[in-house]
Amino acid sequence: MVFKPSFKQNVFEFQLSGSKKKFSIPLRQYISADLAERLEEAATTAQPMIKKIQEAKELASASGEDPVLPDDFDPDMLASLSRIQRELFEKYAPGCYAAGTKGEIQEVMQEWGRVSNIELGESSASSSS
């Protein structure tokens, strides 16, 4: 996976492993307001569940057992976030979602958030204060 700064202002560029094609997505602050708002809402709602899943995986890894999902696990919450992320890729980087693996897409989203100076689940107002 290749991430590199773009010479184009306000754009995040990347390449998927084994691909020569360069994809780009506007930084979080420059995507459409509608998409940004829906992404933020879904991420904020899903963040506590994502943390619980990560903790369950860490416990399982330490104990050598299979992870046990939290009792309040809601797959629809994560599916909603995934749908909006896919919409982001299809709008700004057509073909990327189909070409990448789940891990690559997650890595791109994390790096895109980092470069945009916004963690998913954090509003742009709180990241700039």
Side-chain angles (χ1 to χ4, degrees):
M1 180 89 57
V2 177
F3 301 115
K4 57 181 167 178
S6 174
F7 291 109
K8 301 173 194 169
Q9 191 172 11
N10 305 324
V11 173
F12 173 68
E13 288 187 334
F14 61 96
Q15 285 178 273
L16 299 174
S17 299
S19 173
K20 292 181 182 181
K21 182 171 180 170
K22 291 181 183 178
F23 294 97
S24 64
I25 299 175
L27 296 180
R28 160 71 171 74
Q29 302 89 314
Y30 301 100
I31 63 174
S32 71
D34 173 62
L35 187 55
E37 185 176 295
R38 289 184 294 119
L39 181 62
E40 182 64 33
E41 183 178 311
T44 300
T45 302
Q47 196 63 34
M49 185 63 60
I50 291 169
K51 284 183 180 182
K52 287 180 183 180
I53 292 169
Q54 288 171 338
E55 289 169 1
K57 286 180 179 179
E58 289 170 10
L59 283 172
S61 178
S63 68
E65 297 178 7
D66 290 333
V68 177
L69 293 174
D71 291 336
D72 60 346
F73 177 71
D74 182 1
D76 291 336
M77 188 183 304
L78 298 179
S80 175
L81 178 58
S82 182
R83 279 191 300 274
I84 296 168
Q85 287 176 345
R86 183 179 188 129
E87 184 179 339
L88 171 77
F89 279 94
E90 293 303 324
K91 180 173 183 165
Y92 296 110
C96 176
Y97 212 88
T101 66
K102 184 177 179 179
E104 287 175 323
I105 298 299
Q106 288 173 341
E107 192 176 337
V108 168
M109 286 300 296
Q110 287 174 346
E111 187 66 10
W112 173 75
R114 187 191 68 74
V115 170
S116 294
N117 294 321
I118 297 175
E119 294 292 323
L120 285 180
E122 176 184 359
S123 70
S124 56
S126 67
S127 69
S128 59
S129 54

